[in-house]
């Protein structure tokens, strides 16, 4: 958990979570970006990012390498 590699991987997961939450909140029908409530959207997405980081931190040390993954590499 104390390496740059760990935080790079955790940040990748958090950015993916951010994108997933924004897209799920706005949906395919919300194509008019002028009518989107961006404050609410990114408020919820920001909470999901924090949860993503928390999950990565809780998963640290499960594997032998310093990784936010729970599953072993193939």
């Amino acid at each position: 958990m104390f390496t740059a590699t760990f935080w790079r991987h955790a940040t990748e997961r958090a950015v993916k979570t951010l994108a997933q939450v924004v897209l799920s909140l706005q949906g395919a029908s919300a194509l008019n970006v002028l009518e989107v409530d961006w404050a609410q959207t990114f408020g919820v997405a920001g909470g999901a990012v924090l949860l993503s980081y928390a999950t990565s931190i809780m998963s640290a040390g499960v594997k032998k390498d310093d990784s936010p993954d729970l599953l072993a590499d193939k």
Side-chain angles (χ1 to χ4, degrees), residues 2 4-5 21 28 31 35-36 39 47 51 53 57 61-62 64 70 73-74:
F2 301 105
T5 299
V21 171
L31 296 177
E35 293 183 15
V36 173
L51 291 173
Y53 275 117
I57 290 168
V62 172
K64 292 186 188 241
L70 286 175
D73 296 329
K74 291 184 179 181

Side-chain angles (χ1 to χ4, degrees), residues 6-57:
F6 174 87
W7 289 106
R8 233 182 11 257
H9 287 248
T11 299
E12 176 186 347
R13 285 170 176 73
V15 169
K16 289 177 182 178
T17 298
L18 175 78
Q20 291 166 347
V21 171
V22 168
L23 291 174
S24 68
L25 287 174
Q26 297 312 315
S29 63
L31 296 177
N32 186 348
V33 296
L34 298 177
E35 293 183 15
V36 173
D37 184 351
W38 290 110
Q40 181 177 5
T41 297
F42 282 106
V44 173
V49 166
L50 292 176
L51 291 173
S52 176
Y53 275 117
T55 302
S56 292
I57 290 168

Side-chain angles (χ1 to χ4, degrees), residues 53-72:
Y53 275 117
T55 302
S56 292
I57 290 168
M58 289 184 294
S59 301
V62 172
K63 291 174 49 174
K64 292 186 188 241
D65 61 345
D66 192 24
S67 169
D69 296 334
L70 286 175
L71 300 176

